[in-house]
Amino acid sequence: MNLTINDIGIYLPETTIALDQIRMEPRLSDAEIKVYQRFYGLKRVAISDISLEDMMFRAAQDALARSHVAAVNIRLLAHIHTSPETHIWPNDLLARLCRRLKLQNATVLAVHTNNCASTLSGLMLSQNYLAGTGGDGYALLLTADLTFSGILQQIPNTTLCGDAATACIISLNGSGAVMKSVELDYFGEHAKGPWQSEEEQARFESGYTQRLAAIMQRSRQQAGLKWDQIRWIFPHNVNVISWRNVAAKLNVPLSKIYLEKLPELGHCFGADIFINWRFASQTLQPGDHIMVATVGLGAIFGSAVFQLAEQEPSS
């Protein structure tokens, strides 16, 4: 049974803020702002005025409306996130969302241990869950984070993070984009993430390009494709420099990597790949292949390839 992404809903804050207006602690210095702007390609960051729950609700509403899938047919509601969330049972976040969205038949769970790469883990989990329950119905995969602290808002010397939510309607053997391959690779020696020593961080950075390029090569090869058969690569929006290095390593043009939203939104955690996919969807044609690629703190590298549904022949 093949996992299919039937549609993607999104919620983005109505306004974004310039880097020198970010109210994070410790505050960014003028020199740091210039580095993020000139070298990393960041100009503004998405900061939400509404709660995480409301962000997720709006993204889910968008996905359900676009796909015309009835709420009663959602069998799984999964929240994919990077920042830790704590809620009191039984009135927790996902229980409230189920009530608001009228998902009376949905099992709820969350995935976050792979940080920004948890999105791909969530896709695999959704596929296994739907297959294990007979293959009928749909999963609603919500990828959402809220940057409520300075620690969450900055990955030092790498990127600045913003707020966003996406919602994927997933089924098995549906009529949307079919997952042709998915690959994840783990490097546990970097499990401390941002709390690594300087020496550990230096080793992580020195191997970053090679590891990301390698996982993308593996997912492409597993899908049986050449690079010129892939229409777009939808990346996590970390910074332009890292993707320029990966493109060079893969010998693919940087223009194949969709980076248009990086300057105005920042890095919206695991939601990036689906935000980019949604905004680039008007450039896609039936039968196109696309790749998503992301890295989670703790050194989890992931990539997947999808093929859009072929256009049905006219009768």
Side-chain angles (χ1 to χ4, degrees):
M1 294 184 179
N2 297 316
L3 178 142
T4 302
I5 295 181
N6 297 67
D7 221 319
I8 299 172
I10 63 173
Y11 167 76
L12 295 175
E14 294 181 0
T15 59
T16 58
I17 62 175
L19 303 193
D20 60 356
Q21 298 298 311
I22 296 176
R23 298 291 181 256
M24 61 183 288
E25 295 295 339
R27 295 292 296 274
L28 292 173
S29 67
D30 291 343
E32 288 174 320
I33 289 173
K34 288 179 181 178
V35 169
Y36 281 119
Q37 291 173 331
R38 296 179 182 178
F39 298 103
Y40 294 166
L42 296 163
K43 296 180 180 178
R44 305 181 70 83
V45 176
I47 302 296
S48 177
D49 291 328
I50 64 175
S51 69
L52 177 66
E53 179 182 335
D54 286 339
M55 288 168 52
M56 296 167 69
F57 179 72
R58 293 189 189 186
Q61 278 190 314
D62 185 34
L64 291 167
R66 288 171 58 88
S67 65
H68 304 292
V69 169
V72 70
N73 292 324
I74 300 295
R75 301 286 185 261
L76 174 69
L77 173 66
H79 178 203
I80 313 303
H81 59 101
T82 294
S83 60
E85 301 292 339
T86 302
H87 299 272
I88 299 173
W89 186 89
N91 194 35
D92 59 87
L93 173 64
L94 297 185
R96 293 197 303 270
L97 280 168
C98 273
R99 289 195 291 270
R100 292 179 68 180
L101 293 166
K102 297 180 173 57
L103 308 181
Q104 62 262 40
N105 294 320
T107 297
V108 300
L109 51 81
V111 180
H112 82 101
T113 51
N114 288 342
N115 292 317
C116 295
S118 296
T119 309
L120 299 186
S121 303
L123 290 172
M124 297 163 69
L125 183 148
S126 298
Q127 183 177 36
N128 292 337
Y129 183 88
L130 291 175
T133 55
D136 295 327
Y138 300 84
L140 178 57
L141 193 75
L142 290 169
T143 305
D145 282 280
L146 191 68
T147 53
F148 56 82
S149 73
I151 292 175
L152 282 171
Q153 204 157 45
Q154 180 180 197
I155 303 176
N157 304 314
T158 302
T159 195
L160 298 172
C161 301
D163 305 330
T166 64
C168 294
I169 301 291
I170 292 171
S171 64
L172 300 183
N173 299 320
S175 59
V178 177
M179 188 166 70
K180 311 296 287 187
S181 69
V182 59
E183 292 282 342
L184 284 168
D185 219 343
Y186 303 82
F187 298 89
E189 65 269 30
H190 301 294
K192 288 183 284 187
W195 294 278
Q196 296 183 104
S197 68
E198 291 184 6
E199 293 78 12
E200 290 169 329
Q201 181 63 25
R203 289 196 296 272
F204 170 74
E205 291 175 359
S206 67
Y208 180 92
T209 299
Q210 174 58 38
R211 288 167 172 173
L212 182 50
I215 202 73
M216 293 168 69
Q217 288 278 30
R218 277 167 47 190
S219 67
R220 175 189 63 81
Q221 291 166 350
Q222 187 187 39
L225 300 172
K226 298 178 180 179
W227 282 114
D228 60 6
Q229 294 176 286
I230 294 177
R231 175 68 183 86
W232 279 115
I233 297 168
F234 297 133
H236 67 321
N237 293 340
V238 174
N239 61 59
V240 173
I241 289 178
S242 65
W243 283 111
R244 185 178 292 120
N245 293 339
V246 171
K249 189 74 173 179
L250 293 171
N251 196 28
V252 301
L254 186 62
S255 59
K256 187 182 283 288
I257 303 174
Y258 188 88
L259 296 169
E260 280 77 355
K261 292 299 169 182
L262 186 154
E264 61 187 82
L265 298 177
H267 174 40
C268 297
F269 301 94
D272 284 342
I273 57 177
F274 295 130
I275 292 170
N276 291 331
W277 185 336
R278 169 71 178 269
F279 276 97
S281 60
Q282 61 186 0
T283 70
L284 295 170
Q285 300 294 325
D288 278 352
H289 292 90
I290 63 96
M291 174 183 283
V292 298
T294 186
V295 180
L297 279 176
I300 303 97
F301 292 74
S303 179
V305 173
F306 295 82
Q307 183 179 20
L308 273 66
E310 298 278 2
Q311 197 163 26
E312 295 183 3
S314 56
S315 56

